[in-house]
């Protein structure tokens, strides 16, 4: 809404939220398609396509259960 036209918005990656039960299966799908693991955290992993530089952040939750400084 801030841009009024989505074509004005620049993206650096694609964030995908999947059910926790499908997280590993989805991650392996991307790995089988030629993506490589860039980073892995408890709530997400970042994958990158070596041919085109496309980055995908695969999330199994919106935020980690515990963020530093918060209960």
């Amino acid at each position: 809404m801030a841009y009024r036209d989505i074509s004005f918005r620049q993206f650096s990656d694609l964030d995908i939220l999947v059910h926790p039960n499908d997280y590993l299966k989805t991650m392996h799908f991307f790995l089988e398609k030629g993506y490589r693991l860039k980073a892995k955290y408890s709530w997400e992993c970042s994958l990158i396509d070596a041919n085109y530089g496309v980055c995908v952040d695969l999330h199994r939750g919106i935020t980690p259960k515990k963020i530093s400084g918060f209960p």
Side-chain angles (χ1 to χ4, degrees):
M1 292 175 70
Y3 292 92
R4 297 193 189 245
D5 183 336
I6 195 70
S7 66
F8 295 133
R9 170 75 162 85
Q10 292 183 354
F11 297 91
S12 61
D13 65 7
L14 176 64
D15 293 284
I16 301 174
L17 178 63
V18 297
H19 191 280
N21 293 343
D22 296 325
Y23 179 77
L24 289 176
K25 180 171 56 173
T26 307
M27 181 176 66
H28 288 291
F29 171 82
F30 278 99
L31 293 172
E32 290 170 359
K33 298 297 179 188
Y35 283 75
R36 59 184 165 81
L37 197 57
K38 185 176 170 184
K40 189 173 180 184
Y41 308 101
S42 63
W43 70 96
E44 77 170 283
C45 70
S46 293
L47 302 130
I48 187 165
D49 178 278
N51 295 320
Y52 301 104
V54 175
C55 295
V56 173
D57 287 345
L58 187 61
H59 298 262
R60 64 174 124 199
I62 301 296
T63 59
K65 291 187 183 227
K66 184 176 180 180
I67 298 175
S68 180
F70 294 95

